[in-house]
Every structure is written in structure tokens, then in C-alpha cells.
Amino acid sequence: MNPKTIAFDADDTLWHNEPYFDEAQAKFAELFEDYASHQEVLQLILLHQVKNLPLYGFGIKAFTLSMLDSALALTDSKIDGKGIEKIIQIGKDLLQKPVELLPEIETVLEKLKGKYKLVVATKGDLKDQHRKLHDSKIGHYFHHIEVMSDKKEIDYQKMLTRLDCKPEDFLMIGNSLKSDVLPVLNLGGHAIHVPYHTTWEYEKIDFEIIHPNFNAVTHINQILDLL
């Protein structure tokens, strides 16, 4: 592995993210505890999120709309204005969460800067992701910021074309095997999986990846030994 361009996923790779969504879903489930169990509410939100992906995409705003869809389903469309207001507030609170970098991220970026072209390759809401990158204070390490509508092979191929980078010269680092690893390997690129302690159900896969261009580490600083 001798990459020229190294891309990092953002949420749960550079900074904490999924725990905030878990907290938001718990608040939503509490609002509707008289209608369904906590687990049933979580499954309903996931169902609407996946169903709405073609329309809303990823991110907090899409998540908030899916919560509203779930509330309408739970209450047979009888939820009142105050209930809707509480749900919207959960979404607003998510959009204002502080950005907390994961341990040793800046140390790793400092060691890679100047040796490789560094990129942020993430998906989600454009405005929110740029806000988080700004608040993180690490934007100056990156040559390019790519906020994709999705992370499929075609999305990576478009990004590589913009970067004038061949797949074999590209390394993707992230916490999602489904979004950060598999599409890149399929294109002929390299990928390193850095797991996070919790993962969104949509991003999970149920098989083992065995590929010559794939590596897995337990901590972000271990990628330095692979380069």
C-alpha cells in the first residue's frame, strides 16, 4: 500500500456522532412511551429512515423528518402541534451539538500532513458537515472536502475523478464497512476500518471482508504503521 491520497470519513471516525443520535432517539421514544416500547420505536424510526433515503438522503434534517413520519404513524396522524414542536426541537438540539474529536486524531493528521493529499469524504447534510469541520479546528489539514449524497461506488468514482486520483493510489479510512470500505475495494482502492463502539443499524454488514487491499485496526494511530 503506497497511497497518494488518503481520505477520512468524518462522523465517528474524526469526531463523535452516533451517541448523539442514540440520545435523540431515546428522547423521541420517551415522548411516545404510551404508544410503543422503546425498541419498537427505534425500529419504526429506522424503517422510515431507510424508506426515506431516496428522498431525504442522510443527515440530521433527514433524521428529523423521519421522526415526524414515525410520530404520525404512532399516533395515527393525531399528533398535535406541541408534539411536533418537541420533535423539531430534538432535531435542532442535534444540529447544535459540540464537536468532540476522537483521541489522537490531530496527532495522526499532523504526521500525515505534507506526505499525502488528505481528504474528508463523508455523507450527510452539507451545511451541518461543514459546520462540524469548522468547529473541529482541523480543516486546515485537508486538501479537499467531499460531502456525498451517498457512499456508493459511483460516488467515490466521481470524487476520484475530481481529485485526478487513480483508485490504486487511494486509501479510505472510516468506521463503516458498508460505506467506507466495500465500495472503495470494489473500485480497486485501499481501505482501513477503524471501528467505533456503536454503529447505526443501516451501516452494519453480516459477513467478513477478506481482501488484499483491506486492513483493520483497533485505533486510529495504528494506521501509521501500515503506511
Side-chain angles (χ1 to χ4, degrees), residues 89-156:
Q89 188 59 51
I90 292 174
K92 287 182 177 180
D93 289 343
L94 265 179
L95 287 166
Q96 299 176 74
K97 289 293 185 182
V99 178
E100 183 183 353
L101 289 177
L102 286 163
E104 299 191 52
I105 287 296
E106 194 157 8
T107 300
V108 169
L109 293 175
E110 187 64 42
K111 291 182 179 180
L112 297 179
K113 185 180 179 182
K115 298 179 182 178
Y116 307 92
K117 181 183 289 185
L118 301 182
V119 171
V120 173
T122 188
K123 61 186 178 185
D125 180 80
L126 180 65
K127 185 176 179 63
D128 183 47
Q129 293 295 49
H130 277 278
R131 188 269 305 180
K132 287 191 280 191
L133 188 64
H134 175 270
D135 291 350
S136 73
K137 310 297 183 184
I138 59 173
H140 62 281
Y141 288 106
F142 298 101
H143 169 84
H144 178 78
I145 311 300
E146 187 89 9
V147 181
M148 309 181 200
S149 58
D150 204 343
K151 278 186 166 180
K152 296 182 178 178
E153 290 175 39
I154 189 171
D155 302 292
Y156 281 104

Side-chain angles (χ1 to χ4, degrees), residues 5-24:
T5 299
I6 299 178
F8 289 83
D9 173 50
D11 295 334
D12 299 323
T13 297
L14 296 176
W15 48 67
H16 295 284
N17 180 67
E18 190 61 25
Y20 294 144
F21 278 86
D22 292 342
E23 178 185 327

